[in-house]
Amino acid sequence: MVNYIIRRVLYMIVTVFFISIIAFILINLPPGSALDAQIQRLRQQGGDISMQQINDLKERYGLNDPVYVQYLKWIGGAIHGDFGQSFTYNAPVGELIWSRIAVSVILSLFALIFAWVVAIPVGVYSATHRYTVPDYIVTVIQFVGIAIPEFLLALLLLVFAATVLHMDAGGLNSQQFQNAPWSWAKLMDTIKHIWIPVIVIGAGSTAWLTRVMRANLLDVLNYQYVQTARAKGLKENVVIWKHAVRNALHPLIMSLGTALPTLISGEVIVSIVLNIPSDGPLFLASLQTKDMYLAITFVLLQSVLLVVGNLLADFLLAWADPRVRLE
Amino acid sequence: MAAARGVAAEDVKRAKKKDIGQTSQWTLMRRRFMQNKLSVTGVIGLAIMYFLVLFAPFFAPYAPDDQDSNNQFQAPTSIKLANGHFAVCPMVQKLNTSNFTWTYKPDCNKSEPIQFFAPGFSYSILGILHSNIHLFQVKPPTKIYIFGADDLGRDVLSRILYGGRVSMTIGLVGVTISTVMGAVLGTTSGYFGGAIDNVMQRVIELLLSIPTLSLFMAIAAALPQDMSVIKRYFLISIIISIIGWTGLARQVRGKVLSYSQQDYTAAAKLAGAGHMRIILTHLVPNSLSHIIVVAILAVPAQILAETSLSFIGLGMLPPAVSWGVLLAAAQQVQVVEQHVWLLVPAAFVIITVTLYMFLGDGLRDAVDPYS
Amino acid sequence: MAETIPSAQSTEIRPTGEDNVIEVLDLHVHFFTTLGVVRALNGVTFKIPRGRVLGVVGESGSGKSVTGFSIMQLVQHPGKIVKGQILLKARKDDQPINILKYDRHSQQMRNIRGNEVGMIFQEPMTSLNPSYTVGNQIQEAILLHQTPDKDEAWRRTVDILRRVGMPNPERIARSYPHELSGGMRQRAMIAMALSCTPSLLIADEPTTALDVTTEAQILDLMRELQKDIGMSIMFITHNMGVVAQMCDEVVVMYLGRIVERASVEEIFYDPKHPYTVALLRSIPRIGLSKGEKLEVIKGGVPDSYSTVTGCPFHPRCPNFMPGICDKVMPAETPIEGNPHHTVRCHLYPGSAAEAEVETSGLAPGTAPAAS
């Protein structure tokens, strides 16, 4: 077991390392950088900027080095938590990013919990009441739920909130709290707002998980051990929840790994639409302004989240399924 | 009794075979598919949708880039019955002096009849069909806006039909590329196994550990903004397929792996068949139906990917028209609040994706009823 | 069909007053499938005296398993018990109760399952839940029916595991099913079924999936435990060899009906029904000279939806008598001079008493969930 964990963690580090290279190359691909934009701005403001000054700036940001040196410098710093300098914000990337990543993690986590808490009972109900009207309704909602992209759902919700409820569903806080320091009141205000993005981000996963849960349970219900449990004289509820659902969860846990990228993607785009101070809007802005180090750091940290999430999912599976534990 | 049981089983098998007759695997699949109402709905619905977008110029009353400053944010036209004809009421434009926005009021005193199969702007379809006949037209200066008009007075319906040409095909191009990549790499990986398989699996795992949308966004942002529409279309479909192939490759690999352990593959090997022959005559035909299903099921995700990218301004860009581009106009809540019809393209996205899922689900059940 | 049977059997439908653990009277089970009604059981009547082992023999699809599941009221959807009585007399001095009066989900029915009637299944590989330890699963039944005390329940769990011949029962109790061999799992299943000392054990082909050596061990064990505990066993099997080893009495089933009942000696030395005779002839046996072909029963069990009139066995019967066998359903008749040996065949006098002309419709047959 210890061996297995060490191997997995090592593998994880290698993966993240490769991803950092890919991300770095990608983001260095487009011609021009945020620095050019900044130079442009400086020119407009203060007239002339000499080649000397430009060179100084480039030197300061390390843009005169060959790409691989730039990368090595950056990754060397990143290991120590120094992700370089943002050109547009003129501040260390680390300072800009942590609070936003935290919001992202919280949103994704809540969305995941929401999806599971809703999907499991609904899927179980749907499977145990197959071919009844509620089952058909659930099936249709699932299809539509998967067909609506997250950003559209966010948009529809915004419009609905604005036209019918006359409220602003965007953001994570009311106006008066937006720039206020954290306090009890702000926390309550956040809780009041956070459920909207959580539901929107989790909706697609919920629909999908419900479908998987229903199919799995129908499968498991055909196993002999379910009849064994019934033959013991257990209540139908115990048979379903203790004996059948427990085993139907394994594929669900296994699918966590594939569900995470979707979840993170959904979180990014929903945050952009709902204007939530998470990684989404800033990542988009950094791509648009070609704020290199900022963009790379986002991709890198998202990958780290993914890889760690996958690792946790594997551990969870080993904990849940005794057959996996041995291998 | 073992013997009796064996005989009975044999007989049952024979009886069943007779029952079905000598129907081929494909006939059986088609039969199972046709029994599923949802999948048939999917096929018919998609056929209609593709027909509509192919003949978009015929169904669209106006050209997609036909601007009209007199009809900015015009609401959907109401159609009424006058003198036994369908007719529209011309709009009277008024400037609201308190907030300087245009307001429109229908003036039904002089209704304008809708003319069917009437001449309008000229067009060509696929470069072979030249015409200027449209399904319906009204006499200028009156205009007909079934789904309203956008900020520049362009007809939303026409733009949706033209946009469908991009949105409904960009996924197909992407899926085709990823299917070919996935099938080739998956087959290789599953058939040869060993080191090749190992490397391939690690690469796939690596690609799967990158947050999809962020990768799309990063790549899309790297594309120059001043690229031609066609070039951008193909580049974006390639971007979308970059991740798409991994999932398919995994599935194909699994199938091929199980087939390559079957006795008939071993028999072919012993008979001296080459790798190419075994792959082409034994493995590919067997996994073909499976590959098709997986490919169809992958289309919705790719349509949604294009829509999402274009929506946040990193995919297709104006002047190109796609559903994502149209929805990008609906990004501001304040705008949508006033002009809800800007969300109509969303309905088309949802309908198309749902139809594809019906189709894919039905196909999967037809091909592999026990999975 | 069977539900219109008049006199002959109606006299049987009352408790006999003997000490029978279970009396099944005129049991009818139908499966309501989308393709039509499948009549899995058509008036099955039998009893199991206290402390005796009844063998239920027949091919796949004869309704053996459905009979077993009916006693537990666990016939799976879309199957339904449509008619009949099942009288349970758990203790010697109890009054027999008709358990079909109880709803299948009722508390009373759950008290019977696992407590008064235990059941073991064909597939030891899948009949234990892979997610819980063997001990946990046995303890669950004990906690439910015997004692609320967890420590006491665990002690009894280890005891019963020791009793079914498990080496190191403490360790086995803490093992997961996948850590045990097939024979060990079947022992664990037997332990679970016996943990509450039931008065009846339903064994549904418990050794079919095991190898011959393990089979012999399990059968010895069951025989030994049956004597110790004094319970009755309903032993469902298609293996005549196992019947000879295990059973006191035998009923032979064909297409949802009992075609012959007798003591085990009579079944082997004086079989009456052509089907029983054929079943016995198809056993490979020592002394069969080389080159001599093992007999098989010609034809197969008709499929569930086809129509057979008259005696359901007539299409395969070597003694087929045209005009009677394909027209009239034979009644169950005692053999002359032995009221305990009955047969349902026109070869024996009295069989046509039940002059029932078969009407069209679906024949009795197998059920999807059966066996």
Side-chain angles (χ1 to χ4, degrees), chain C residues 98-128:
Chain C
N98 179 11
I99 60 174
L100 292 184
K101 279 193 318 210
Y102 301 140
D103 181 79
R104 53 182 297 176
H105 295 300
S106 63
Q107 176 68 43
Q108 290 102 322
M109 202 56 228
R110 288 202 307 273
N111 278 343
I112 292 168
R113 286 183 205 131
N115 194 22
E116 309 290 5
V117 184
M119 188 159 185
I120 51 182
F121 303 98
Q122 182 172 355
E123 285 290 337
M125 292 301 173
T126 57
S127 50
L128 288 165

Side-chain angles (χ1 to χ4, degrees), chain B residues 166 226-234 316-321:
Chain B
V166 169
D226 48 3
M227 204 176 245
S228 79
V229 171
I230 296 286
K231 216 168 153 194
R232 200 172 175 84
Y233 171 93
F234 279 107
M316 299 301 289
L317 293 172
V321 198

